[in-house]
Amino acid sequence: MELTVYLAGQIHDNWREEAAMKAAERNLPLSFVSPQTNHDRSDNIGEDILGKQPTKLHKDDVASDINNFRTQVLMQKSDIVIALFGEKYKQWNTAMDASTAIALNKPTIIIRPESLIHPLKELSNKANVTVETVDQALEVISYIFE
Amino acid sequence: MELTVYLAGQIHDNWREEAAMKAAERNLPLSFVSPQTNHDRSDNIGEDILGKQPTKLHKDDVASDINNFRTQVLMQKSDIVIALFGEKYKQWNTAMDASTAIALNKPTIIIRPESLIHPLKELSNKANVTVETVDQALEVISYIFE
Amino acid sequence: MELTVYLAGQIHDNWREEAAMKAAERNLPLSFVSPQTNHDRSDNIGEDILGKQPTKLHKDDVASDINNFRTQVLMQKSDIVIALFGEKYKQWNTAMDASTAIALNKPTIIIRPESLIHPLKELSNKANVTVETVDQALEVISYIFE
Amino acid sequence: MELTVYLAGQIHDNWREEAAMKAAERNLPLSFVSPQTNHDRSDNIGEDILGKQPTKLHKDDVASDINNFRTQVLMQKSDIVIALFGEKYKQWNTAMDASTAIALNKPTIIIRPESLIHPLKELSNKANVTVETVDQALEVISYIFE
Amino acid sequence: MELTVYLAGQIHDNWREEAAMKAAERNLPLSFVSPQTNHDRSDNIGEDILGKQPTKLHKDDVASDINNFRTQVLMQKSDIVIALFGEKYKQWNTAMDASTAIALNKPTIIIRPESLIHPLKELSNKANVTVETVDQALEVISYIFE
Amino acid sequence: MELTVYLAGQIHDNWREEAAMKAAERNLPLSFVSPQTNHDRSDNIGEDILGKQPTKLHKDDVASDINNFRTQVLMQKSDIVIALFGEKYKQWNTAMDASTAIALNKPTIIIRPESLIHPLKELSNKANVTVETVDQALEVISYIFE
Amino acid sequence: MELTVYLAGQIHDNWREEAAMKAAERNLPLSFVSPQTNHDRSDNIGEDILGKQPTKLHKDDVASDINNFRTQVLMQKSDIVIALFGEKYKQWNTAMDASTAIALNKPTIIIRPESLIHPLKELSNKANVTVETVDQALEVISYIFE
Amino acid sequence: MELTVYLAGQIHDNWREEAAMKAAERNLPLSFVSPQTNHDRSDNIGEDILGKQPTKLHKDDVASDINNFRTQVLMQKSDIVIALFGEKYKQWNTAMDASTAIALNKPTIIIRPESLIHPLKELSNKANVTVETVDQALEVISYIFE
């Protein structure tokens, strides 16, 4: 049984590569999908395809059309969603992806540092499992295969 | 036709009372529901009902059980969701409520200041309408009755 | 048993008033809802609420945000959808509303002139009933109450 | 990850072949499905199978039975829907397919010339992405695989 | 708590009036809806509204458009479906209505004579309850209010 | 806003009357529905309506047809489900009702004594809130109206 | 693209083998599934597994448990449903299977002789396509692959 | 056609291995999935991953987070659910898994000893089939492939 895992969350460090490597070390039969992790490409994708937009708002709007399209395709193909929150940035996309996954009955794991317990308490409460590290998230998934 | 509107968002000023008053002035046939807006009560509701918990995490977890219960009951009764974002606070609950509403096909309006265009771009893109003020949100709803 | 009927279709003549009057004459317990029928208001509603937009495309986009919001609220409240096609105009909104209604299992009646049999054949085929006049559509609804 | 793409839209030029060729040039792992593109066969399929019908309306009705059957089978197998509008023809089938796809949560791209911005504004607004050329649509899909 | 009950089944005797009278005698807070019970009207409704059709098949097809429209509206308004089978007639509409109700999670009661146990065994097995008389069906519903 | 509450659970003491009385004292706008609480009537309802059955298994089967019919009607009418577990009896119906409610997205409260924490841990974890007394359950519901 | 086709209908002649052979001759990439076609086995399967039952009704009930289980598994795996009606027998299972398939949005073809046009008119009207022979049904499916 | 079968139920003997062996002997194309069957690991999994918890209740709560995550992933991948009840233990998880499966339209078989007929009567009534032994359950599944 192969499972596809959507990795929602910030795109400012290489936690996804880390997750993939650690899954490979454990021989977990997982394939990972994710949002665009090249931040500039993600911000510019609308203008890259549709050309210069009149304002920043409109540049953002066409970019988000295409980012949301990508997320919808990939999340529909996924069996599990992991959403990682860090201490920086607004990360409303991460909250959006996790909430959407939960509403669609996708089994969902949240990773967040101890410092974010309070502001994430309602979302954590709706997710299946909340952990603090990528390793713990992989242990949770690994438990499926025991 | 009476409509019920769920008002998601921060609970640090009286924007909900303002919305209700302005709706009354316009004679809109709306009733408003919302999360608990007494911040302390919202944080303490778990311990208020279930007694002292061993750690802050566990206090937060029982509070969020009951806050999420309330939100689920009221959102299921609502025809429209308005989600207001401000410049302070994490507001992940607001993102969670808006995303859940969208996933459940509830018509959804986002209110956010210009400064938050960029971090909210994907969520705005999935909502029906994004505006900057409570007045504009009410104008949008008022348009249903024209 | 009161039924709510959404009247999708062109907004260039007063067919909705005619339908309402004829329903009243037959004492049918119906209430009618519809898209914005003031064409200018429908085109301008985005700028009326959100202010001047940089291009026609963007003016159209904010208008359609709010028109779609209105339609979603009202169609969710409806028990029946009537979609009227005439010989002029593109009327893709009418096709969109009828198709959405059918996909959501709303009982749907199409009204179209004989001249449009061929281009509407697949949509007619998916609707419950296709007729040629408003009177016939009301006879169909009236049959529910016999 | 292989994706299946339904190509809704007019059947009067070879845009589907063009799309398939361009996807192959980009090495995109896509397979394309579509409505019957032989116009005469599409119009006659009812009579071809069920025999001569008494009127044009009835010929059209049996043809659309079978065209709708084909579309329903293939759209249910698809991960993505592209709907192309051109300047000629009524194209209500295209609007019907795009609207149905959106109502079923299929990620949807609309291709339309600049001249159709206004009449398609509400449908564009509900689709994930709207572009002007087949190339742009493929760039959007290609972005999923980056 | 008022409940609406859809009465599917043959239209060749007055079992629906009997059911309504007996429910009234028991003071059950029920309102009953049903298909058209005037057999000729049911067969002719298509031609009554749309005019003479070229063949019997086409007369039947337009009649069933409108009969199915009526059933869909009324069944969506119902809390309970009762489907009565008798010894005569094909009664495939009754089987269709009961099966549709079950697929839509409508609580469903089948009434059938002992002689039909065998041919109805799979459908009985999927319904909530199978009884032999209208009185028994009302006792089942009456049990809700104890 | 009136809410309907389904009270699942054992029928060996008068906890439902207690809940209704306490809700009335708090002026909560609730109406309560429940399974048949007369144990003998619940066991005999099948034979009461359908007559003597050949074995105990068949007596139980016809009774459960009608008990499940009642539960399905009433749970579909409910906004909230409370499921109470006590120390005696198998109570698999209670687990079944709570699990069904959760799967249908009905907001659900479990009441159970401390001694049952361990065997109910997975079900508690899926419910919205778990408390130990009827009073606490009413406080949770009461919180909706603050 | 391989498609799975559920063949509902009478089990008194070898029409399923005929369909499979004709599909093979046309090189259609179809696999066929169906109810138990050995009539005695279908009637006895309950007693074959669970032992002698006290009455014919109970024998039928355990048989239908297992026949319905089989149908539910196989229909959920199917992309298309064909339901064949003949002139003999009640065939309520065929009507049940076709109606269930339609309610679940499975593309559905009905095969029936001309003599059954009238009693099947409402069910035919809800199916995608109605034909008179197995060959025609295969031509309809074959059209998907043109 | 390969089918995946989720084996819900007690984890105190090796009935799952027995089921797998017997399925292999019959050459049934089945793969089996199940909850964690190592009882200690199941109780400790929360603390194994997340560390020591302050109380037994909290230890149980984190364990059930992860057990429920596993069950949700595997049940969504399953075509059939078998739920086995024995004479010992509360087995509310088994009732929960069976009820969830039924609510999600998963074809479901219950295995229970004769002694549990009465307390399981409502759940048995909602499942597709109830048998007394693992062999009988496999005969039921085997019937799909005849």
Side-chain angles (χ1 to χ4, degrees):
Chain A
M1 182 178 288
E2 278 259 328
L3 298 175
T4 300
V5 183
Y6 187 87
L7 298 173
Q10 48 93 341
I11 58 177
H12 300 87
D13 66 34
N14 67 339
W15 72 274
R16 286 179 184 81
E17 286 69 25
E18 187 197 331
M21 249 178 41
K22 286 176 169 172
E25 281 166 19
R26 290 166 180 270
N27 290 317
L28 294 174
L30 303 177
S31 52
F32 293 98
V33 292
S34 66
Q36 174 59 256
T37 55
N38 177 326
H39 198 284
D40 284 350
R41 177 69 167 156
S42 168
D43 278 0
N44 296 329
I45 181 64
E47 291 197 338
D48 286 354
I49 295 181
L50 290 161
K52 187 71 184 161
Q53 301 297 309
T55 72
K56 281 199 177 175
L57 181 147
H58 296 98
K59 175 185 170 179
D60 278 351
D61 195 39
V62 288
S64 60
D65 273 352
I66 299 170
N67 285 321
N68 283 340
F69 174 81
R70 174 178 166 135
T71 301
Q72 190 176 336
V73 172
L74 294 178
M75 202 183 278
Q76 289 182 354
K77 288 287 185 192
S78 299
D79 303 299
I80 292 170
V81 173
I82 294 179
L84 177 144
F85 288 86
E87 297 194 337
K88 287 187 264 177
Y89 317 106
K90 294 287 183 191
Q91 305 176 85
W92 287 322
N93 276 11
T94 314
M96 175 181 85
D97 287 347
S99 303
T100 303
I102 292 164
L104 299 176
N105 275 325
K106 300 276 177 190
T108 302
I109 301 170
I110 286 176
I111 308 176
R112 56 105 188 83
E114 208 186 332
S115 56
L116 295 182
I117 288 175
H118 190 67
L120 276 171
K121 69 183 192 294
E122 270 82 20
L123 187 51
S124 277
N125 185 268
K126 290 176 81 169
N128 292 66
V129 188
T130 299
V131 298
E132 295 189 10
T133 66
V134 168
D135 279 297
Q136 289 173 322
L138 289 176
E139 283 179 67
V140 171
I141 294 179
S142 169
Y143 181 70
I144 298 172
F145 299 99
E146 288 184 8
Chain B
M1 183 177 287
E2 278 259 328
L3 299 174
T4 300
V5 183
Y6 187 86
L7 298 173
Q10 47 92 341
I11 58 177
H12 301 87
D13 66 33
N14 68 340
W15 72 274
R16 286 180 183 80
E17 285 68 25
E18 187 197 330
M21 251 178 39
K22 287 177 169 171
E25 281 166 20
R26 289 166 180 269
N27 290 316
L28 295 175
L30 304 177
S31 53
F32 294 98
V33 292
S34 67
Q36 175 58 257
T37 55
N38 178 326
H39 198 284
D40 284 349
R41 177 69 167 154
S42 168
D43 278 359
N44 297 328
I45 181 64
E47 291 198 337
D48 286 354
I49 294 181
L50 290 161
K52 186 74 184 160
Q53 301 298 310
T55 72
K56 281 199 176 174
L57 180 147
H58 296 97
K59 176 186 170 179
D60 278 351
D61 194 38
V62 289
S64 59
D65 273 352
I66 299 170
N67 285 321
N68 283 340
F69 173 81
R70 176 180 166 135
T71 301
Q72 190 176 337
V73 172
L74 294 178
M75 201 182 279
Q76 290 182 355
K77 288 288 185 189
S78 299
D79 303 299
I80 291 170
V81 172
I82 294 178
L84 177 144
F85 288 86
E87 296 195 337
K88 286 187 265 177
Y89 317 106
K90 295 287 184 189
Q91 304 176 87
W92 287 322
N93 276 12
T94 314
M96 175 180 85
D97 288 348
S99 304
T100 303
I102 292 164
L104 300 176
N105 276 325
K106 299 276 177 188
T108 301
I109 300 170
I110 286 176
I111 309 176
R112 55 106 188 84
E114 208 186 330
S115 56
L116 295 182
I117 288 175
H118 190 68
L120 276 171
K121 68 184 193 293
E122 270 82 19
L123 187 51
S124 277
N125 185 268
K126 292 176 79 169
N128 292 65
V129 188
T130 299
V131 298
E132 295 189 11
T133 67
V134 168
D135 279 298
Q136 289 173 322
L138 289 176
E139 284 179 68
V140 171
I141 296 180
S142 169
Y143 181 70
I144 298 172
F145 299 100
E146 288 183 8
Chain C
M1 182 177 290
E2 278 259 329
L3 298 174
T4 300
V5 183
Y6 187 87
L7 298 173
Q10 48 91 342
I11 58 178
H12 301 87
D13 66 32
N14 67 340
W15 72 274
R16 287 180 183 80
E17 286 68 24
E18 186 197 332
M21 250 178 41
K22 286 176 168 172
E25 281 166 19
R26 290 165 179 269
N27 290 317
L28 295 175
L30 304 177
S31 53
F32 293 99
V33 292
S34 67
Q36 175 59 257
T37 55
N38 178 326
H39 199 285
D40 284 349
R41 177 69 167 155
S42 168
D43 278 0
N44 297 329
I45 182 63
E47 291 198 338
D48 286 354
I49 295 181
L50 290 161
K52 186 73 184 160
Q53 301 298 310
T55 73
K56 281 200 176 173
L57 180 148
H58 296 98
K59 176 186 170 179
D60 278 351
D61 194 38
V62 289
S64 60
D65 274 350
I66 298 170
N67 285 321
N68 283 341
F69 173 81
R70 175 179 166 134
T71 301
Q72 190 176 335
V73 171
L74 293 178
M75 202 183 278
Q76 290 182 355
K77 289 287 185 189
S78 299
D79 303 300
I80 291 170
V81 172
I82 295 179
L84 177 145
F85 288 86
E87 297 195 336
K88 285 188 265 175
Y89 316 107
K90 295 288 183 189
Q91 304 176 87
W92 286 323
N93 277 10
T94 315
M96 175 181 84
D97 288 347
S99 303
T100 303
I102 292 164
L104 300 176
N105 276 325
K106 300 277 177 189
T108 302
I109 300 170
I110 286 176
I111 308 176
R112 56 107 188 82
E114 208 186 330
S115 56
L116 295 182
I117 288 175
H118 190 68
L120 276 171
K121 68 183 192 296
E122 271 82 19
L123 187 51
S124 277
N125 185 269
K126 291 175 80 169
N128 292 65
V129 188
T130 299
V131 298
E132 295 190 10
T133 67
V134 169
D135 278 298
Q136 289 173 322
L138 289 175
E139 283 179 69
V140 172
I141 294 180
S142 169
Y143 181 70
I144 299 173
F145 299 100
E146 287 183 8
Chain D
M1 183 178 289
E2 279 260 328
L3 298 174
T4 300
V5 183
Y6 187 87
L7 298 173
Q10 49 91 342
I11 58 177
H12 301 88
D13 66 34
N14 67 339
W15 72 274
R16 286 180 184 80
E17 286 68 25
E18 185 197 332
M21 248 177 43
K22 287 176 168 172
E25 282 166 18
R26 289 165 179 270
N27 290 317
L28 294 175
L30 304 177
S31 53
F32 294 98
V33 292
S34 67
Q36 174 59 256
T37 55
N38 177 325
H39 198 284
D40 283 351
R41 178 66 168 156
S42 167
D43 277 0
N44 297 328
I45 181 65
E47 291 197 338
D48 286 354
I49 295 180
L50 290 161
K52 186 74 184 160
Q53 301 298 308
T55 72
K56 281 199 176 173
L57 181 147
H58 296 98
K59 175 184 172 182
D60 278 351
D61 194 39
V62 289
S64 59
D65 273 352
I66 298 170
N67 286 321
N68 283 340
F69 173 80
R70 174 178 167 136
T71 301
Q72 189 176 337
V73 172
L74 294 178
M75 201 183 279
Q76 290 182 355
K77 288 287 185 191
S78 299
D79 303 299
I80 292 170
V81 173
I82 294 178
L84 177 144
F85 288 87
E87 296 195 337
K88 287 188 263 177
Y89 316 108
K90 294 288 185 190
Q91 305 176 87
W92 287 322
N93 277 10
T94 314
M96 175 180 85
D97 288 347
S99 303
T100 304
I102 293 164
L104 299 176
N105 275 324
K106 300 276 178 190
T108 302
I109 300 170
I110 287 176
I111 308 176
R112 55 107 189 81
E114 207 185 333
S115 56
L116 295 181
I117 288 176
H118 190 68
L120 276 172
K121 68 183 192 295
E122 270 82 21
L123 187 51
S124 277
N125 185 269
K126 292 176 79 169
N128 292 65
V129 188
T130 299
V131 298
E132 295 190 11
T133 67
V134 169
D135 279 297
Q136 289 172 322
L138 289 175
E139 282 179 68
V140 171
I141 294 180
S142 168
Y143 180 70
I144 298 173
F145 299 100
E146 288 184 7
Chain E
M1 184 177 287
E2 280 259 329
L3 298 174
T4 300
V5 183
Y6 187 87
L7 298 172
Q10 49 91 341
I11 58 177
H12 302 87
D13 67 32
N14 66 341
W15 71 275
R16 286 180 184 80
E17 286 68 26
E18 187 197 332
M21 250 177 42
K22 287 176 169 173
E25 282 166 18
R26 290 166 180 268
N27 290 317
L28 294 175
L30 304 177
S31 54
F32 295 99
V33 292
S34 67
Q36 174 60 256
T37 55
N38 178 326
H39 197 285
D40 284 350
R41 177 68 167 155
S42 167
D43 278 359
N44 297 329
I45 182 62
E47 291 198 336
D48 286 354
I49 295 180
L50 290 160
K52 187 74 183 160
Q53 301 298 309
T55 73
K56 281 200 178 175
L57 181 147
H58 296 99
K59 175 186 171 179
D60 278 351
D61 195 38
V62 289
S64 60
D65 273 352
I66 298 170
N67 285 321
N68 284 339
F69 173 81
R70 174 179 167 134
T71 301
Q72 190 175 336
V73 171
L74 293 178
M75 201 183 279
Q76 290 182 355
K77 288 287 185 190
S78 299
D79 303 300
I80 291 170
V81 172
I82 294 179
L84 177 144
F85 288 87
E87 298 196 335
K88 286 187 265 177
Y89 317 107
K90 295 286 183 189
Q91 305 175 87
W92 287 322
N93 277 10
T94 315
M96 175 181 84
D97 287 347
S99 303
T100 303
I102 292 164
L104 300 176
N105 276 324
K106 300 275 178 191
T108 302
I109 300 170
I110 286 176
I111 308 176
R112 56 106 189 82
E114 209 186 329
S115 56
L116 295 182
I117 288 176
H118 190 69
L120 276 172
K121 68 182 191 297
E122 271 82 20
L123 186 52
S124 278
N125 186 269
K126 291 176 80 169
N128 292 65
V129 188
T130 299
V131 299
E132 295 189 10
T133 66
V134 168
D135 279 297
Q136 290 172 322
L138 288 176
E139 284 178 68
V140 171
I141 295 180
S142 169
Y143 180 71
I144 298 172
F145 299 100
E146 287 184 8
Chain F
M1 183 177 288
E2 280 259 328
L3 298 174
T4 300
V5 183
Y6 188 86
L7 298 173
Q10 49 91 342
I11 58 177
H12 300 88
D13 66 32
N14 67 338
W15 72 275
R16 286 180 184 79
E17 286 68 24
E18 187 198 331
M21 249 176 44
K22 286 176 169 173
E25 281 165 19
R26 290 167 179 267
N27 290 317
L28 295 175
L30 304 176
S31 54
F32 294 99
V33 293
S34 67
Q36 174 59 255
T37 56
N38 178 326
H39 197 283
D40 284 352
R41 178 67 167 155
S42 167
D43 278 0
N44 297 328
I45 181 63
E47 291 197 338
D48 286 354
I49 295 181
L50 290 161
K52 187 73 184 160
Q53 301 298 308
T55 73
K56 281 198 176 175
L57 181 146
H58 296 99
K59 176 185 171 180
D60 278 350
D61 194 39
V62 289
S64 59
D65 273 353
I66 299 170
N67 286 321
N68 283 340
F69 173 80
R70 175 180 167 135
T71 301
Q72 189 175 337
V73 172
L74 295 177
M75 201 183 278
Q76 290 182 354
K77 288 287 185 191
S78 299
D79 303 299
I80 291 170
V81 173
I82 294 178
L84 178 144
F85 288 86
E87 297 195 336
K88 286 188 264 176
Y89 317 107
K90 295 287 186 191
Q91 304 175 87
W92 287 323
N93 277 10
T94 315
M96 175 180 86
D97 288 348
S99 304
T100 303
I102 292 164
L104 300 176
N105 275 325
K106 299 276 178 190
T108 301
I109 300 170
I110 286 176
I111 308 176
R112 55 108 187 81
E114 207 185 332
S115 56
L116 295 182
I117 288 175
H118 189 68
L120 277 172
K121 68 183 191 294
E122 271 83 19
L123 187 51
S124 277
N125 185 269
K126 291 176 80 169
N128 292 65
V129 188
T130 299
V131 299
E132 294 190 11
T133 67
V134 168
D135 279 297
Q136 290 173 321
L138 289 176
E139 283 179 67
V140 171
I141 295 180
S142 169
Y143 181 70
I144 298 172
F145 299 101
E146 287 183 9
Chain G
M1 183 177 289
E2 279 259 329
L3 298 174
T4 300
V5 183
Y6 187 87
L7 298 172
Q10 50 92 342
I11 57 177
H12 301 88
D13 65 34
N14 66 341
W15 71 275
R16 286 179 184 81
E17 286 68 25
E18 186 198 330
M21 249 177 41
K22 286 176 169 174
E25 283 166 18
R26 290 166 179 269
N27 289 317
L28 294 175
L30 304 176
S31 54
F32 294 99
V33 293
S34 67
Q36 174 59 255
T37 55
N38 178 325
H39 197 284
D40 283 351
R41 177 68 167 155
S42 166
D43 278 0
N44 297 329
I45 181 63
E47 292 197 337
D48 287 354
I49 294 180
L50 290 160
K52 187 73 183 162
Q53 301 297 309
T55 73
K56 282 199 176 173
L57 181 147
H58 296 98
K59 175 185 171 179
D60 278 351
D61 194 38
V62 289
S64 60
D65 273 352
I66 298 169
N67 286 321
N68 283 340
F69 173 81
R70 174 178 168 136
T71 301
Q72 190 175 336
V73 171
L74 294 177
M75 201 183 279
Q76 290 182 355
K77 289 286 185 191
S78 299
D79 302 300
I80 292 170
V81 173
I82 295 178
L84 178 144
F85 288 86
E87 296 195 337
K88 286 187 265 177
Y89 317 106
K90 295 287 183 191
Q91 306 176 86
W92 286 323
N93 277 10
T94 314
M96 175 181 84
D97 288 347
S99 303
T100 303
I102 292 164
L104 299 176
N105 276 325
K106 299 277 177 189
T108 301
I109 300 170
I110 287 176
I111 308 176
R112 56 107 188 82
E114 208 185 332
S115 56
L116 295 182
I117 288 175
H118 189 68
L120 276 171
K121 68 183 191 296
E122 271 82 20
L123 187 52
S124 277
N125 185 268
K126 291 176 80 169
N128 292 65
V129 188
T130 299
V131 298
E132 295 190 10
T133 67
V134 168
D135 279 298
Q136 290 172 321
L138 289 175
E139 283 179 68
V140 171
I141 295 180
S142 170
Y143 180 70
I144 298 173
F145 299 101
E146 286 184 9
Chain H
M1 182 177 289
E2 278 259 330
L3 299 174
T4 300
V5 183
Y6 188 87
L7 298 173
Q10 49 92 342
I11 58 176
H12 301 87
D13 66 34
N14 66 340
W15 72 273
R16 287 181 183 80
E17 286 68 25
E18 187 197 330
M21 249 178 42
K22 286 176 169 172
E25 282 166 18
R26 290 166 179 269
N27 290 317
L28 295 175
L30 304 177
S31 53
F32 294 99
V33 292
S34 67
Q36 174 58 256
T37 56
N38 178 326
H39 198 284
D40 283 349
R41 176 70 167 154
S42 167
D43 278 0
N44 296 329
I45 181 62
E47 291 198 337
D48 286 354
I49 294 180
L50 291 161
K52 187 73 184 160
Q53 300 298 309
T55 73
K56 282 199 177 174
L57 181 148
H58 296 99
K59 175 186 171 179
D60 278 352
D61 194 38
V62 289
S64 59
D65 273 351
I66 299 170
N67 286 321
N68 283 341
F69 174 81
R70 174 180 167 135
T71 302
Q72 190 176 335
V73 172
L74 294 178
M75 202 183 278
Q76 290 182 355
K77 288 287 184 190
S78 299
D79 303 300
I80 291 170
V81 172
I82 295 178
L84 178 144
F85 288 86
E87 297 195 335
K88 286 187 266 176
Y89 317 106
K90 294 289 184 189
Q91 306 175 86
W92 286 323
N93 276 9
T94 315
M96 175 181 85
D97 288 347
S99 304
T100 304
I102 292 163
L104 300 176
N105 275 326
K106 299 276 176 188
T108 301
I109 300 170
I110 286 175
I111 308 176
R112 57 105 187 83
E114 209 185 330
S115 56
L116 296 182
I117 288 175
H118 190 67
L120 276 171
K121 68 183 192 295
E122 271 82 19
L123 187 52
S124 277
N125 185 269
K126 291 176 80 168
N128 292 65
V129 188
T130 299
V131 299
E132 296 189 10
T133 66
V134 168
D135 279 298
Q136 289 172 322
L138 289 175
E139 283 179 67
V140 172
I141 294 180
S142 169
Y143 180 71
I144 297 173
F145 300 100
E146 287 182 9

